Amino acid sequence: MKRKLQDQSTRYSTLESLLGTATERLDIYVYVIDKCGAEVLRRIKESNKSLKIRLLISKDVLKEDIRGVLAELSRLGLEIRVAEKLHSKVYIIDGVWVVEGSANLTCRSLKENVENMSFEEDPRRVALSNFEKIWEVATPYTSTTFQ
């Protein structure tokens, strides 16, 4: 069953609630993340310290403010990689549930912009397969990798 997450007033809390249901793994690939998105991931990680979170972002957005956000997330134990020309916005919960659409993990995307997002079980695991392919060729992020 596919559900739309279009209501701007609740999109942020709904997405955080959905991502927070992950018990083993959370795989995310987005073009960009900001402090607001990092706060969502921090709360999720703190509520489940054994949760494995992997984050893929685009190399195109590696600016100083983003590097600080990534350093904070890295200290929390998130695995972060950077890929060329990444523009997808996909959130995979425990390898089974998929949230995808146009929203990055940013305040603006989650609270202000008109964005399209849907939530569904993906029995073909297409999104996970794509994530794994990109993850394998992406560069691991460290504070000294991209300066």
Side-chain angles (χ1 to χ4, degrees):
M1 181 172 89
K2 190 173 197 173
R3 287 182 16 208
K4 296 276 186 190
L5 307 177
Q6 303 245 13
D7 184 1
Q8 286 172 253
S9 64
T10 61
R11 185 182 315 120
Y12 180 83
S13 60
T14 302
L15 181 62
E16 183 171 352
S17 294
L18 289 171
L19 298 181
T21 65
T23 58
E24 297 175 17
R25 185 173 86 231
L26 190 54
D27 296 321
I28 299 170
Y29 52 118
V30 293
Y31 178 72
V32 67
I33 186 170
D34 67 7
K35 290 179 182 182
C36 196
E39 182 62 22
V40 168
L41 296 181
R42 182 193 62 75
R43 283 192 297 270
I44 291 169
K45 183 67 174 172
E46 285 182 353
S47 70
N48 182 354
K49 297 207 185 304
S50 65
L51 181 65
K52 181 177 185 173
I53 302 176
R54 298 187 300 172
L55 174 66
L56 273 166
I57 65 159
S58 178
K59 183 179 180 182
D60 298 339
V61 298
L62 286 180
K63 298 180 179 112
E64 197 58 44
D65 56 334
I66 299 298
R67 289 188 181 127
V69 167
L70 296 179
E72 176 190 337
L73 292 173
S74 189
R75 283 191 296 278
L76 291 172
L78 277 71
E79 294 179 61
I80 303 167
R81 293 197 181 177
V82 177
E84 299 282 339
K85 310 282 184 210
L86 181 69
H87 198 71
S88 298
K89 290 92 173 175
V90 181
Y91 308 82
I92 306 166
I93 304 162
D94 289 330
V96 177
W97 294 98
V98 176
V99 178
E100 59 188 336
S102 60
N104 283 297
L105 203 46
T106 63
C107 289
R108 198 168 177 164
S109 284
L110 298 174
K111 295 180 178 180
E112 299 172 23
N113 293 351
V114 175
E115 302 280 0
N116 178 44
M117 294 184 76
S118 62
F119 169 65
E120 65 182 307
E121 187 172 13
D122 185 9
R124 298 169 292 131
R125 304 204 194 295
V126 172
L128 183 57
S129 173
N130 289 342
F131 179 91
E132 295 297 346
K133 288 175 187 173
I134 298 168
W135 185 261
E136 288 303 314
V137 298
T139 305
Y141 178 83
T142 67
S143 59
T144 58
T145 306
F146 301 95
Q147 294 199 13

